[in-house]
Amino acid sequence: GLRLCEIASLRYEDIDDDEIIVRRMVRYPGGEIIDSTKGTFGDRRVPLTPKALELIDIARKKQKDNGQEEIQYIFVMTGGPIHLYLAIQKAFAKYCKQLDIQQRGPHKARKTYISELLDSGININTVRSVAGHKDEHTTFNNYCYDRKTKSERNAQIIAAIQ
């Protein structure tokens, strides 16, 4: 559910138990790291799944095995944070293909993540906070999609009014 510019600037020090603290981003173009996130929302905490924590640990070990122990960033390219938007998109597409996941791009994955949280009944203020939106209007107007089929929607409506 993070923005690409936030993912590119993640450091190992941002991990706090089972959460990641989003506190900076890479400004495109140019790759400058700025100590704030998009908008005025500020730092936010996003829960990490056990699988995400496992993959981050693998990345850290791989960097260590390659003699790159001093690297602070989780996602790196030539020793520094990955700052090429296209490189991130290509990696995303590669891994989606390997996992047989049909995705149109990283931003679509962000929208799917937010819609899944809403579909799962997560409180809108929690979803807004995790997504880094200042208010719920941004979340609802730009990221909330009904992913159910017509028959699923109709069954839900009927069940709600009976």
Side-chain angles (χ1 to χ4, degrees), residues 91-147:
F92 182 84
K94 172 185 167 184
Y95 294 117
C96 282
K97 185 175 183 175
Q98 285 179 359
L99 297 168
D100 198 29
I101 296 172
Q102 300 295 320
Q103 278 293 347
R104 288 186 257 159
H107 191 68
K108 179 66 174 169
R110 177 171 159 77
K111 289 182 176 195
T112 300
Y113 169 82
I114 293 169
S115 290
E116 185 66 35
L117 294 179
L118 292 168
D119 287 352
S120 297
I122 307 293
N123 180 280
I124 183 60
N125 282 318
T126 301
V127 175
R128 176 196 55 74
S129 175
V130 168
H133 294 154
K134 188 173 181 177
D135 62 55
E136 67 278 359
H137 298 292
T138 302
T139 307
F140 277 130
N141 293 340
N142 300 303
Y143 292 88
C144 182
Y145 297 96
D146 189 348
R147 298 174 302 133

Side-chain angles (χ1 to χ4, degrees), residues 64 92 153:
K64 185 177 181 180
F92 182 84
R153 283 191 303 268

